[in-house]
Amino acid sequence: MNKKGMILRTPLIVRFCHWCMVCLFILTALSGLSLFFPSIKLFGLVLGTPQLVRALHPFLGGIVFILLMFMFLKLAHHNIPNKQDILWIKNFKKVIMGKEEGIPIGKYNIGQKFLFWCIMSLILVLFVTGIIMWRQYISDYFPVPIVRIAIFFHSLAAIGLILLAIGHAYMAIWVKGSINGMITGYVSRAWARKNHSAWYEEEMEKSYQAELNAKTESEQNKATAKHDIENDIEHKPI
């Protein structure tokens, strides 16, 4: 891939984590739905027998939780709401119509930030309730009413997370170039300028500063080399 005119949006480690999480989440969601709705047990066949599905589901969910916590550590600071988000909300109609160019948007807009915090909140609920209701190892340590409450909220959080994941996938397809950015890690400058103008300006400033520093360092190295040569000539024995 020719990276000229492109901007790195998502580092390799985050992309790898994201796609691993996506694959495991699909397996976890399908197995969970097959356990919750026995009539669609066909979903669980991706993991094998019902007994195997019941045994693997908690472990898959735990791995998804760990991967999302890693992404939380990497991305949380980009998802803090700020004053620019107010402008995005005020110009929501323009954004929907694809005319967001010129609206100062950081690396993530308020819609993406809202999605981020919802996903992180729901996965936390799923993890805590899943631990409580883990029949094979832990549920016996809790009273039956607590386990029933955990099952109820686990189910609600799971359905909510599945719906958010579907919405997230749809938006990624709708905004052309987003999926390619998550696969390769790079987006075009035109894409960044149109969809995330404030972030684009920050990246261009970093790029300009890096080029300026490199040029200054190069000039200093040349001056140092020239001085060393002149010094060697001056002290060279005749």
Side-chain angles (χ1 to χ4, degrees), residues 143-215:
V144 172
I146 297 297
V147 175
R148 287 175 177 172
I149 292 173
I151 293 173
F152 175 74
F153 283 103
H154 190 84
S155 303
L156 285 182
I159 293 172
L161 190 56
I162 291 171
L163 291 176
L164 286 177
I166 293 173
H168 174 60
Y170 173 77
M171 293 302 293
I173 295 172
W174 182 53
V175 181
K176 188 177 179 180
S178 298
I179 293 180
N180 187 59
M182 184 52 76
I183 294 175
T184 65
Y186 288 85
V187 294
S188 67
R189 293 188 179 186
W191 185 94
R193 185 170 56 250
K194 179 180 185 299
N195 296 286
H196 300 272
S197 57
W199 173 69
Y200 167 77
E201 291 175 3
E202 291 175 4
E203 292 301 308
M204 289 300 96
E205 179 64 28
K206 290 179 184 177
S207 178
Y208 172 76
Q209 193 61 46
E211 291 176 2
L212 186 62
N213 292 339
K215 184 178 179 180

Side-chain angles (χ1 to χ4, degrees), residues 15-78:
R15 299 199 312 273
F16 178 77
C17 179
H18 173 270
W19 290 114
C20 287
M21 186 271 299
V22 167
C23 295
L24 291 175
F25 177 75
I26 292 173
L27 293 176
T28 306
L30 291 177
S31 60
L33 287 171
S34 70
L35 293 172
F36 192 75
F37 299 105
S39 58
I40 52 175
K41 61 182 179 180
L42 181 66
F43 285 179
L45 294 180
V46 292
L47 293 179
T49 64
Q51 293 78 11
L52 189 58
V53 170
R54 188 175 295 276
L56 291 178
H57 178 78
F59 290 102
L60 292 173
I63 298 173
V64 169
F65 174 78
I66 292 172
L67 292 175
L68 277 173
M69 288 302 100
F70 174 80
M71 294 187 71
F72 175 83
L73 295 175
K74 288 289 185 180
L75 303 176
H77 65 286
H78 291 301

Side-chain angles (χ1 to χ4, degrees), residues 63-111:
I63 298 173
V64 169
F65 174 78
I66 292 172
L67 292 175
L68 277 173
M69 288 302 100
F70 174 80
M71 294 187 71
F72 175 83
L73 295 175
K74 288 289 185 180
L75 303 176
H77 65 286
H78 291 301
N79 286 278
I80 304 297
N82 53 46
K83 293 180 180 179
Q84 291 179 342
D85 296 326
I86 298 175
L87 290 173
W88 189 91
I89 295 173
K90 289 181 177 179
N91 292 276
F92 180 72
K93 186 179 291 187
K94 287 185 178 180
V95 174
I96 293 298
M97 296 174 64
K99 299 178 180 179
E100 61 269 65
E101 191 168 1
I103 302 172
I105 302 173
K107 188 167 186 179
Y108 301 109
N109 60 48
I110 188 62

Side-chain angles (χ1 to χ4, degrees), residues 123-137:
I123 195 62
L124 182 60
V125 172
L126 283 168
F127 180 75
V128 173
T129 55
I131 290 294
I132 294 173
M133 58 188 280
W134 198 351
R135 182 174 300 177
Q136 187 175 0
Y137 298 105

